[in-house]
C-alpha cells in the first residue's frame, strides 16, 4: 500500500507542477485513499481553490486525522468562520 501511495503522490505532484490541476486532484484523491495525509491536504487546497468548500473541509479534516499538521490550521480557520 505504501508503494501505491508514494506513486500516486509523485504523480499528483508532477501533474500539479505541470498545471494539470484536475489530474493532480485525481491522483491526490487516490493517494488519500491509500492513507496519505499530505495528499489529503493538497486535495483540500485544490478543492478550496475551486470553491468546493465542503470537499475542502472533509479533505482537511482527513489530513489532520492522518497526521498532516498544516491541515490543522485550515480546519481551525474553517471552524472560526462558522461561529
Amino acid at each position: 500500500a505504501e508503494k501505491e501511495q508514494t506513486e500516486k503522490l509523485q504523480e499528483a505532484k508532477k501533474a500539479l507542477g505541470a498545471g494539470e490541476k484536475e489530474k493532480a486532484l485525481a491522483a491526490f484523491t487516490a493517494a488519500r485513499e491509500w492513507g496519505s495525509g499530505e495528499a489529503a491536504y493538497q486535495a483540500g487546497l485544490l478543492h478550496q481553490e475551486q470553491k468546493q468548500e465542503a470537499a475542502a473541509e472533509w479533505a482537511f479534516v482527513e489530513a489532520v486525522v492522518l497526521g498532516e499538521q498544516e491541515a490543522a490550521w485550515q480546519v481551525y480557520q474553517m471552524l472560526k468562520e462558522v461561529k
Side-chain angles (χ1 to χ4, degrees):
E2 193 171 318
K3 181 183 177 206
E4 289 89 347
Q5 181 190 108
T6 302
E7 287 174 357
K8 284 295 176 186
L9 200 52
Q10 289 173 343
E11 179 184 322
K13 288 177 180 180
K14 184 178 177 183
L16 190 59
E20 299 173 338
K21 293 182 180 182
E22 289 300 320
K23 186 175 179 181
L25 182 57
F28 280 132
T29 300
R32 264 174 81 178
E33 291 170 4
W34 288 103
S36 171
E38 180 183 355
Y41 177 68
Q42 293 296 332
L45 292 175
L46 287 170
H47 282 302
Q48 196 173 48
E49 189 178 290
Q50 296 173 4
K51 307 291 186 217
Q52 298 169 344
E53 295 301 323
E57 290 172 10
W58 280 112
F60 290 139
V61 169
E62 185 178 345
V64 172
V65 170
L66 292 170
E68 189 64 32
Q69 292 301 310
E70 290 180 49
W73 179 251
Q74 297 290 342
V75 171
Y76 168 75
Q77 290 298 320
M78 290 181 310
L79 292 173
K80 196 170 105 175
E81 290 174 12
V82 171
K83 286 186 189 179

